[in-house]
Amino acid sequence: MDFIPIDYEMLRLIWWALLGTLLIGFAIMGGMDLGVGALLPAVARNDEERRVLLNLIGPTWEGNQVWLVLGGGAIFAAWPPLYAVSFSGFYLAMIVILLALILRPVGFKFRGKVQDPRWRSVWDWALFIGGFVPALIFGVAVGNVLLGAPFDLDTTLRPSYLGNFFGLLTPFALLSGLVSLTMIVTLGASYIAMRTRGLIAERARLYGQWSALAAVALFALAGVWVAFGGLGYAITSDYAGAAPSNPLSKTVVQQGGAWLANYSTYPLTLLAPIVGFAGMLGAWGLLRAGRNLPTFLSAAVGIAGIVATAGLSLFPFLLPSSVNPGASLTVWDASSSHMTLFIMLVATVIFLPIILAYTSWVYRVMRGPVTTQSLSKNPNAY
């Protein structure tokens, strides 16, 4: 592999960073839509106001799902053991998320087909579920990663998952789900406040202030739980960052407080939780001040900080095993081959800028407020 200009260890690190970037991208772009959906019953009180919110995210939500597809694809191609364990072990949770997400396109298309208020109310609640449930369950999944998943690997590296769906709903995992939900609702509220006018924007600012404060409090509580709740795993054997992938080649112990080790080893990582707190507190203050664009940017930065905090706390772990810690999957022993990672990196360097450019162009075209007046002039509006 001498002709590959980037060594194996560095490629693994790059793909870990890229995976985090894709997950942050989905948390912001997809989270914006989920947050609006979760706020639909609270912010919009009549049919006209609900149509405003539907047309706020309706033209762009499908494009924002690209980040979810990219994240899943990156896990599949760059970290095959992680994909095998997580997508099979968390299968029922994934199905719940997918069923909730499926309600969104159906709701957008079917809601306006019949004028009956009861018909529209059913689809409004479907759109609410399509925003609320994924926002919560994604956070529950992250909480279970921090706790460690009940899986093992046999001598041929075949995984076996020993848990069940209800075993995922532990107190800490639900707390993580609430952190995810509140930060996404804050982002959704800031987007509504930025792109709408009148009572809808005022209600969004009010709910956004409460969710921002809740996100700060719950994020702090989760940090205290991680520090003093006996959570964490540590590698106790030597490992080679450029060795062939074999998760069983190391020794791991469960060790309370180990998730905080990176913050003392690499002090710059402390920026992630600081940015998480600052972004959410900034969103709260800016919502009170009615500063629309700065509010949205602050909430997005806060989400990036919170997601990065989870990833940096886990590093180099991707998915610890609570049953057999030695089978835990890490950045150094669960990746694809050197060649595969390099070819994928070349493809990413080519296509990711195109996705970013296209997304920027779409939002530039769709810029401006969405109001009941603008809907009356658009015959294609939802």
Side-chain angles (χ1 to χ4, degrees):
M1 299 296 178
D2 293 339
F3 60 89
I4 298 179
I6 306 175
D7 65 63
Y8 200 8
E9 184 175 3
M10 180 56 67
L11 273 173
R12 284 168 161 165
L13 191 59
I14 289 171
W15 269 103
W16 171 78
L18 280 174
L19 177 59
T21 300
L22 294 174
L23 294 178
I24 289 172
F26 173 67
I28 294 173
M29 302 303 294
M32 180 170 62
D33 301 329
L34 298 177
V36 173
L39 284 167
L40 183 63
V43 172
R45 306 291 174 81
N46 56 47
D47 185 65
E48 281 191 344
E49 292 179 347
R50 294 187 185 105
R51 288 188 64 218
V52 167
L53 294 193
L54 264 61
N55 285 275
L56 181 64
I57 59 175
T60 55
W61 76 268
E62 289 175 290
N64 291 337
Q65 296 299 109
V66 167
W67 295 95
L68 178 60
V69 175
L70 289 175
I75 293 173
F76 172 76
W79 316 101
L82 175 62
Y83 183 90
V85 174
S86 59
F87 278 68
S88 58
F90 299 161
Y91 181 76
L92 288 178
M94 297 290 182
I95 290 296
V96 170
I97 290 173
L98 288 176
L99 290 176
L101 291 176
I102 288 170
L103 290 175
R104 293 201 295 172
V106 178
F108 283 124
K109 298 299 182 183
F110 283 8
R111 185 186 184 277
K113 299 297 184 182
V114 180
Q115 294 290 336
D116 186 355
R118 291 174 297 180
W119 170 269
R120 295 192 170 186
S121 178
V122 167
W123 293 114
D124 289 338
W125 282 105
L127 290 166
F128 164 75
I129 292 171
F132 180 92
V133 171
L136 179 69
I137 299 296
F138 280 128
V140 169
V142 173
N144 277 281
V145 172
L146 288 165
L147 289 168
F151 73 93
D152 200 357
L153 301 173
D154 64 17
T155 55
T156 62
L157 302 184
R158 290 182 302 179
S160 56
Y161 187 81
L162 308 176
N164 57 66
F165 174 76
F166 294 102
L168 301 176
L169 305 178
T170 60
F172 178 78
L174 290 172
L175 172 62
S176 300
L178 291 175
V179 173
S180 172
L181 176 63
T182 52
M183 73 180 191
I184 284 174
V185 166
T186 302
L187 184 68
S190 67
Y191 189 60
I192 295 171
M194 182 174 66
R195 295 284 311 279
T196 64
R197 299 292 183 266
L199 290 175
I200 301 176
E202 291 178 13
R203 295 188 196 114
R205 290 189 188 97
L206 177 61
Y207 285 107
Q209 290 173 48
W210 284 108
S211 63
L213 290 177
V216 170
L218 292 168
F219 186 41
L221 179 58
V224 172
W225 199 320
V226 167
F228 303 104
L231 277 65
Y233 293 80
I235 300 175
T236 57
S237 61
D238 294 332
Y239 60 90
S245 291
N246 180 5
L248 298 178
S249 63
K250 64 186 179 304
T251 303
V252 177
V253 297
Q254 190 169 4
Q255 182 178 306
W259 291 148
L260 302 180
N262 285 335
Y263 298 108
S264 57
T265 305
Y266 312 103
L268 280 178
T269 57
L270 285 169
L271 289 174
I274 291 172
V275 166
F277 281 117
M280 286 297 137
L281 285 172
W284 170 75
L286 291 166
L287 280 167
R288 287 175 59 87
R291 302 288 301 278
N292 295 331
L293 178 59
T295 298
F296 177 78
L297 295 176
S298 184
V301 167
I303 286 179
I306 291 172
V307 175
T309 297
L312 290 170
S313 297
L314 284 162
F315 183 83
F317 288 90
L318 297 170
L319 185 63
S321 170
S322 59
V323 174
N324 177 14
S328 299
L329 308 178
T330 74
V331 171
W332 313 123
D333 59 26
S335 75
S336 293
S337 69
H338 193 180
M339 177 64 77
T340 300
L341 294 183
F342 178 71
I343 293 173
M344 288 172 55
L345 181 61
V346 172
T348 302
V349 169
I350 295 172
F351 291 106
L352 187 57
I354 295 174
I355 293 171
L356 292 172
Y358 173 74
T359 301
S360 301
W361 177 78
V362 167
Y363 276 95
R364 185 179 184 280
V365 171
M366 301 301 298
R367 70 188 184 278
V370 179
T371 64
T372 54
Q373 291 76 20
S374 67
L375 296 185
S376 64
K377 299 175 183 178
N378 183 3
N380 298 314
Y382 290 106

